[in-house]
Amino acid sequence: MSVRGSALRLPYALRRMEESDIPAVMEIEQSAYEFPWTEGIFRDCIRAGYCCRVVQRNDTTIIAYAVMSLGAGEAHILNLCVAPPWQQQGYGRALMSDMMDLARRLQADTLFLEVRPSNVAARALYDRLGFNELATRGGYYPSRQGREDALILARPL
Ligand SMILES: CC(C)(COP(=O)(O)OP(=O)(O)OC[C@H]1O[C@@H](n2cnc3c(N)ncnc32)[C@H](O)[C@@H]1OP(=O)(O)O)[C@@H](O)C(=O)NCCC(=O)NCCS
């Protein structure tokens, strides 16, 4: 099932990520992150039944995606990414709002995620959407300097 992007009425459809989407997703992943996920991680997330969604523009081009796990009333955003040419046009906010709606429909009451303290864009997005900082996980991410902490954020749904 696909739904129209809700938050800002952007011209996009949100649909399940299929294994056949992984090459297009990987192209974005590698252009957006310094330490990208591998194809195998996306495949495992799809096979594990996580909520894996892609954002398609009218012409069927994938421009963003998100991966979320759910369990025991908690949802966890594991990946949320907008292709660089489409960033800062509202798609991240719209996709995150749609993932929050999806988590609510699946009975989650809290949404968690981790973010690098250095990720200015993501921190701005999560701040705008009302996430609160819960804790710091030391040395969670690889970085050029060795490791970087993760901020753990949460938001009631
Ligand atoms: C983080 C990311 C998803 C944001 O998506 P986006 O589509 O560019 O964000 P939006 O256009 O919806 O902007 C959402 C808010 O964040 C702010 N924002 C976005 N990029 C920003 C930047 N580079 N600097 C400062 N603020 C920024 C916007 O101003 C907006 O706030 P506003 O509505 O008050 O104006 C996108 O930058 C991305 O995919 N980055 C690479 C992958 C990544 O880091 N994912 C997050 C992992 S935790």
Side-chain angles (χ1 to χ4, degrees), residues 3-155:
V3 294
R4 299 285 301 169
S6 60
L8 298 171
R9 293 190 184 80
L10 290 163
Y12 81 61
L14 186 71
R15 66 161 174 82
R16 282 179 195 277
M17 185 191 296
E18 309 291 345
E19 289 194 33
S20 57
D21 295 318
I22 292 177
V25 165
M26 277 303 295
E27 219 170 287
I28 299 172
E29 178 79 8
Q30 287 171 339
S31 65
Y33 287 109
E34 198 174 356
F35 298 92
W37 279 12
T38 61
E39 286 189 29
I41 298 177
F42 284 104
R43 199 170 304 115
D44 288 348
C45 288
I46 293 171
R47 291 184 185 176
Y50 290 172
C51 295
C52 303
R53 296 289 184 273
V54 293
V55 170
Q56 258 183 213
R57 291 268 306 180
N58 296 338
D59 61 1
T60 75
T61 309
I62 292 174
I63 61 160
Y65 50 88
V67 176
M68 180 171 71
S69 67
L70 276 146
E74 292 180 355
H76 202 126
I77 292 285
L78 304 175
N79 198 335
L80 180 101
C81 186
V82 177
W86 296 96
Q87 289 176 7
Q88 294 193 270
Q89 297 170 53
Y91 287 98
R93 181 192 273 263
L95 173 56
M96 193 65 191
S97 300
D98 281 340
M99 296 308 286
M100 282 165 31
D101 285 346
L102 181 59
R104 269 183 217 109
R105 287 202 300 276
L106 295 169
Q107 315 296 328
D109 51 36
T110 311
L111 181 58
F112 293 89
L113 55 84
E114 279 94 29
V115 64
R116 290 175 188 263
S118 62
N119 192 340
V120 174
R123 289 186 67 183
L125 169 65
Y126 303 141
D127 186 55
R128 302 293 192 278
L129 288 170
F131 280 82
N132 298 309
E133 212 174 299
L134 282 190
T136 301
R137 212 190 285 280
Y140 183 75
Y141 292 113
S143 81
R144 274 194 225 170
Q145 288 74 35
R147 307 290 300 178
E148 180 174 0
D149 293 346
L151 300 176
I152 303 173
L153 308 186
R155 185 195 189 284

